[in-house]
Amino acid sequence: MRSFLTRFLRSAQETLIAFGNLWVYVPPVPESPEAPLDGPAPGHPEALRPDIPLSAVERALHRQFLGADPGEGTGPGP
């Protein structure tokens, strides 16, 4: 009786998953990203603006994380 119940519940679970996949498409996760992620996308609100210099706090954080002073008017990029 226990094995029947286990088989029935497993079958019911697989059936519900298959039925859910018909109604809610979940795209597969790619193995590796197409392009390396090196920052926010263009136009993203967190993107750095090269025409605005970094604040003192931002420069201190840059020195703390990367060990170099980014200079005036440039972002923390290479």
Side-chain angles (χ1 to χ4, degrees):
M1 179 69 179
R2 182 179 169 113
S3 65
F4 171 75
L5 183 60
T6 303
R7 282 194 325 247
F8 174 75
L9 290 176
R10 184 168 296 151
S11 175
Q13 176 187 10
E14 291 173 2
T15 302
L16 289 172
I17 290 172
F19 185 71
N21 285 335
L22 292 174
W23 292 101
V24 180
Y25 176 71
V26 179
V29 177
E31 293 295 323
S32 63
E34 296 173 5
L37 301 175
D38 58 354
H44 191 277
E46 293 182 359
L48 294 175
R49 290 187 47 194
D51 59 329
I52 298 177
L54 297 177
S55 69
V57 173
E58 290 168 333
R59 284 193 305 275
L61 287 171
H62 188 275
R63 280 192 303 273
Q64 179 183 356
F65 292 134
L66 301 178
D69 192 6
E72 289 292 322
T74 60

